[in-house]
């Protein structure tokens, strides 16, 4: 299975390493022609407005949906979550609209409000997942075809639909490979 990591901004190396530890063939994706033949793509965290502008500039906003129609799945962490949403509260910034949900940017507060939490994620097994939140968004609502997988209080922080996955937190900053492995499993069965 070949999974790329969009190399415009964010924790690219950490995602590449996490995928390799799960046994995936992986590559850093800098040009749209590198999307050909991928089973999946990870959009890392970073600044969603900046990543969105770069995606428009380099043609990814049209090339990624084209590859999705051919069967590619997309996993977005933090800013990647925002870019996969159909609606971003209070923003008209560019987005892919792959999952029918409402994303709320910087919803847990500023950088200084970053935190870690043990999440119950039944899809990953009985052991809690230690999640790292950095100026994180959350999902206000999920709609048709989108499954809520984890939350912090009443705030949805992990969801999926078909081959697509989003997390408000950064599993690439932990030694726990279960979220990346779960994405690979979804690519294989959806």
């Amino acid at each position: 299975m070949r999974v790329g990591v969009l190399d415009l901004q964010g924790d690219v190396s950490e995602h590449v390493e996490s995928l390799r530890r799960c046994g995936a063939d992986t590559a850093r994706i800098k040009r749209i022609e590198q999307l050909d033949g991928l089973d999946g793509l990870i959009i890392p965290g970073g600044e969603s407005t900046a990543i969105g502008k770069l995606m428009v500039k380099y043609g990814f906003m049209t090339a990624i949906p084209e590859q999705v129609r051919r069967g590619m799945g997309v996993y977005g962490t933090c800013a990647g979550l925002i870019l996969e949403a159909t609606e971003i509260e209070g923003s008209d910034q560019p987005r892919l609209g792959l999952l029918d949900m409402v994303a709320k940017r910087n919803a847990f507060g500023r950088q200084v409000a970053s935190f870690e939490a043990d999440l119950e994620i039944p899809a990953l097994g009985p052991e809690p997942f230690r999640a790292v939140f950095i100026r994180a968004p959350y999902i206000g609502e999920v709609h048709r075809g989108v499954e809520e997988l984890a939350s912090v209080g009443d705030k949805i922080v992990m969801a999926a639909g078909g081959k697509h996955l989003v997390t408000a937190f950064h599993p690439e900053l932990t030694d726990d490979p279960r979220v990346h492995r779960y994405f690979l499993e979804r690519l294989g069965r959806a």
Side-chain angles (χ1 to χ4, degrees), residues 67-80:
Q67 293 297 329
V68 165
R69 285 190 288 278
R70 295 178 181 164
M72 184 180 77
V74 179
Y75 169 31
T77 58
C78 198

Side-chain angles (χ1 to χ4, degrees), residues 8 13 24 38 42 44 46 63 90-91 97-98 101 107 113 124 143 147 153-154 166-167 169 171 187 189:
L8 299 177
S13 298
L38 292 180
I42 291 180
S91 173
L98 301 176
M101 61 185 194
L124 302 184
H143 299 290
E147 176 187 7
D154 63 348
V166 289
T167 59
F169 53 90
L187 292 178
R189 68 177 142 110

Side-chain angles (χ1 to χ4, degrees), residues 66-187:
E66 194 173 292
Q67 293 297 329
V68 165
R69 285 190 288 278
R70 295 178 181 164
M72 184 180 77
V74 179
Y75 169 31
T77 58
C78 198
L81 176 154
I82 295 166
L83 290 161
E84 282 198 58
T86 51
E87 183 179 344
I88 304 167
E89 188 176 86
S91 173
D92 61 354
Q93 69 185 80
R95 72 208 62 179
L96 294 165
L98 301 176
L99 289 173
D100 191 1
M101 61 185 194
V102 179
K104 299 187 177 204
R105 299 175 63 211
N106 304 327
F108 285 103
R110 299 171 54 194
Q111 189 93 0
V112 295
S114 299
F115 64 100
E116 295 184 18
D118 289 322
L119 300 181
E120 301 293 330
I121 308 175
L124 302 184
E127 291 294 318
F129 186 89
R130 187 71 176 170
V132 178
F133 292 84
I134 301 170
R135 211 176 60 163
Y138 69 80
I139 303 165
E141 300 170 41
V142 295
H143 299 290
R144 179 179 36 85
V146 182
E147 176 187 7
E148 175 186 340
L149 297 173
S151 61
V152 172
D154 63 348
K155 298 171 174 63
I156 303 167
V157 295
M158 182 176 183
K163 292 184 175 182
H164 307 307
L165 175 68
V166 289
T167 59
F169 53 90
H170 294 264
E172 77 281 6
L173 298 181
T174 74
D175 290 329
D176 191 334
R178 288 182 291 163
V179 174
H180 288 85
R181 191 175 300 136
Y182 179 71
F183 178 53
L184 298 178
E185 289 169 5
R186 288 194 75 94
L187 292 178

